[in-house]
Amino acid sequence: MKLRVLVLGAGFGGLELSSILSEKLGDKLDLTLIDKNDSFYFGFSKFDVMFGHKTSDAIKLHYDRIVKPGVQFKQENILTIEPEAKRVVTNKGTHEADVLVIALGAEYDPAATPGLIEGGNEFYSLKGAERLREVLPNFSGGKVIVGVCSTPFKCPPAPSEAALLMHDYLIKRGIRDKCEISIVMPFSVPIPPSPDTSKALLEEFAKRNISFIAKHKVNALDTSRNVAVLDDETEMPFDLFLGVPKHKAPVVIEQSGLAVNGWVPVDKTNLKTQYPGVYAIGDVNSVGTPKAGVFAEGAAKVAAASIIAEFENAAAPSPYQGDGTCYIEFGDGKVGKVNVNFFSGPAPAGTYTEASVELVADKEEFGSSREKRWFGNAD
C-alpha cells in the first residue's frame, strides 16, 4: 500500500519534505506537490535582482526539473482546503490524501500600510525587487528609509542587509555623500536572539553612517508630504522608501478554519495541527521560529520523520529544535552567519560567525546544495 501525501506549497518546506519522503519511501510513496507558481527562487536572490546583478529568469528554478520517485508536481491554484477530510480543491480538480502538509508560506499585504503602494517600494516580493531595479538608477540623492511596517515578517536580517547593500550601491554610483540611510525596526537590536550578531551589525551601521531606529514600525506613508509616520506618530521625511510589507496567511488558509489569530497553530515538537494527519510547516504556522526558509526546512525534516514513523509504526522522532543558520550580507563583499536555536534552552540563543569574504562561498554552497537536492544537478 502506498502512502498518499498531499503537499501544498513548493518553498523550502515543501521541497525538503518531498525530497525526504521520496528518498525514504521510494515506490511506497504517492506524493503530489502543488504550487501556483512554475518556479522557485531563494529569497536572498531578490537583492541580486533589485540591484541589477541578475535577471529574474536567472534566479528561477523551474519545478518541471523535479524528477523524484513517488513525487509529481502540479501547478494549480488552491481554492479550498478541507482539513478534516484532507481534501483540497484546485482550479484543475480535487485531491485527497492520507497525509496533508500545508507549506503555503506567508503572503504580503502592502495595501495594509496606507501610502506604501502609492509612495513607497516593497522589496520582499520578486515583483517589488523588479520594480526597484528600474527605480534605483533614477534616484539621485536624499533620505532613504528601510522600514518594517508590521510583525511578524520574513527573514529578520533582511532590512539590515538592504541598508548595507544600499550603502554599497550608492557608493558605486558616487552619490552616497548626497544620501542619508535609516532603518526602522520593531526590535531593540537587529537580531535579538544573537547579541554578537546585533553588535556586529550596529558597528557596521555606525561605520557607514546608517541610523538605526529601534522599537518602532512604520504605520503609514504621507505621500503628499513624503513622510513616513511611525507607530508613535513620529514623522520621518524620505525621498526613497523601501518597505517590509505586512505579512498574512494566504486567504485560502483563513477560509479553511485552520488559522487562529492569523496563523496555523501546531504542536511545536512535530508540526502537527489539531486535525489528524495534517501538518503545517514554515511561515504559515505560529510555532515561534522566525519566518525564514531555513526554519521551514528544519520543520520539514521533523514533519517528514513523523510521517514516516507513523507509516512504518516506528518510534516518534526527536522533537523539533527550532534551529537554523542564516547568512547575512554585510556589504563590501562580505557575508556573516548566525546560528540560532529557539527551543533547546530557556530562551532563544544564537552564535555569530564574523563576516568575511570566505563566507560568500559558504552561502553559495548553501544555495547550490539545495538546488541539487531538490531539483537535481544544476544546469
Side-chain angles (χ1 to χ4, degrees):
M1 185 182 75
K2 291 191 176 186
L3 178 67
R4 297 179 305 153
V5 181
L6 189 55
V7 181
L8 310 184
F12 266 79
L15 289 168
E16 178 66 15
L17 183 133
S18 298
S19 297
I20 293 172
L21 293 183
S22 176
E23 289 170 4
K24 301 293 186 183
L25 297 179
D27 59 6
K28 298 177 184 176
L29 179 67
D30 178 7
L31 185 149
T32 302
L33 175 62
I34 300 177
D35 199 285
K36 65 182 179 182
N37 300 301
D38 67 354
S39 57
F40 167 86
Y41 57 85
F42 292 99
F44 55 72
S45 61
K46 290 194 296 289
F47 282 128
D48 288 326
V49 173
M50 176 174 156
F51 289 109
H53 304 312
K54 292 183 180 179
T55 65
S56 298
D57 286 344
I59 68 169
K60 291 179 179 177
L61 302 172
H62 289 272
Y63 293 129
D64 60 12
R65 287 174 51 183
I66 298 174
V67 181
K68 294 185 178 299
V71 175
Q72 60 175 329
F73 171 77
K74 292 183 179 293
Q75 184 182 0
E76 300 180 9
N77 291 318
I78 297 163
L79 303 179
T80 61
I81 300 172
E82 302 171 39
E84 300 96 335
K86 297 186 282 290
R87 181 185 302 119
V88 172
V89 178
T90 74
N91 63 320
K92 295 184 180 178
T94 300
H95 304 273
E96 296 183 353
D98 305 310
V99 176
L100 174 62
V101 181
I102 297 164
L104 288 172
E107 294 185 348
Y108 306 126
D109 186 12
T113 302
L116 178 57
I117 292 175
E118 300 84 357
N121 305 273
E122 62 84 8
F123 64 97
Y124 261 51
S125 71
L126 183 54
K127 284 187 177 178
E130 290 170 339
R131 182 172 183 272
L132 275 161
R133 182 179 58 200
E134 307 303 320
V135 168
L136 291 179
N138 297 315
F139 178 66
S140 57
K143 298 178 186 294
V144 181
I145 297 176
V146 179
V148 177
C149 299
S150 183
T151 56
F153 62 96
K154 294 182 188 180
C155 193
S160 299
E161 294 179 297
L164 291 166
L165 293 173
M166 178 60 69
H167 169 87
D168 281 5
Y169 174 79
L170 296 173
I171 287 278
K172 287 175 183 174
R173 287 194 51 208
I175 58 171
R176 180 62 180 94
D177 58 345
K178 298 179 182 177
C179 303
E180 297 176 17
I181 302 176
S182 302
I183 310 174
V184 179
M185 286 189 73
F187 311 139
S188 58
V189 291
I191 312 292
S194 176
D196 289 341
T197 308
S198 294
K199 180 173 180 286
L201 284 167
L202 291 170
E203 286 175 354
E204 294 305 314
F205 297 159
K207 286 179 190 175
R208 291 162 170 77
N209 197 25
I210 296 171
S211 300
F212 181 74
I213 315 300
K215 299 182 181 178
H216 286 295
K217 293 178 289 185
V218 176
N219 273 3
L221 301 185
D222 184 334
T223 55
S224 65
R225 297 185 296 131
N226 269 27
V227 222
V229 183
L230 307 192
D231 48 10
D232 64 350
E233 301 300 323
T234 297
E235 295 186 346
M236 293 179 65
F238 69 87
D239 297 285
L240 178 65
F241 184 85
L242 307 180
V244 179
K246 179 182 178 180
H247 290 34
K248 64 177 185 178
V251 173
V252 70
I253 293 295
E254 297 171 355
Q255 295 173 339
S256 70
L258 281 158
V260 176
N261 297 322
W263 306 99
V264 182
V266 294
D267 182 329
K268 76 175 186 179
T269 65
N270 54 27
L271 292 309
K272 291 181 179 180
T273 70
Q274 62 177 310
Y275 300 96
V278 181
Y279 295 75
I281 59 176
D283 296 351
V284 76
N285 71 30
S286 55
V287 73
T289 57
K291 294 190 181 301
V294 68
F295 293 98
E297 181 183 320
K301 289 179 167 68
V302 173
S306 176
I307 291 167
I308 292 166
E310 292 197 1
F311 180 62
E312 297 181 341
N313 294 316
S318 300
Y320 178 45
Q321 296 299 306
D323 53 353
T325 298
C326 290
Y327 291 91
I328 304 173
E329 292 286 344
F330 270 72
D332 197 25
K334 295 180 180 178
V335 169
K337 185 170 72 170
V338 58
N339 296 289
V340 186
N341 188 297
F342 278 79
F343 300 149
S344 293
T351 57
Y352 171 62
T353 304
E354 186 176 353
S356 66
V357 174
E358 289 72 25
L359 280 179
V360 173
D362 274 32
K363 181 180 177 181
E364 289 174 354
E365 168 62 19
F366 174 89
S368 62
S369 63
R370 281 151 183 80
E371 176 180 358
K372 183 176 180 179
R373 174 170 169 69
W374 298 336
F375 293 88
N377 291 318
D379 291 336

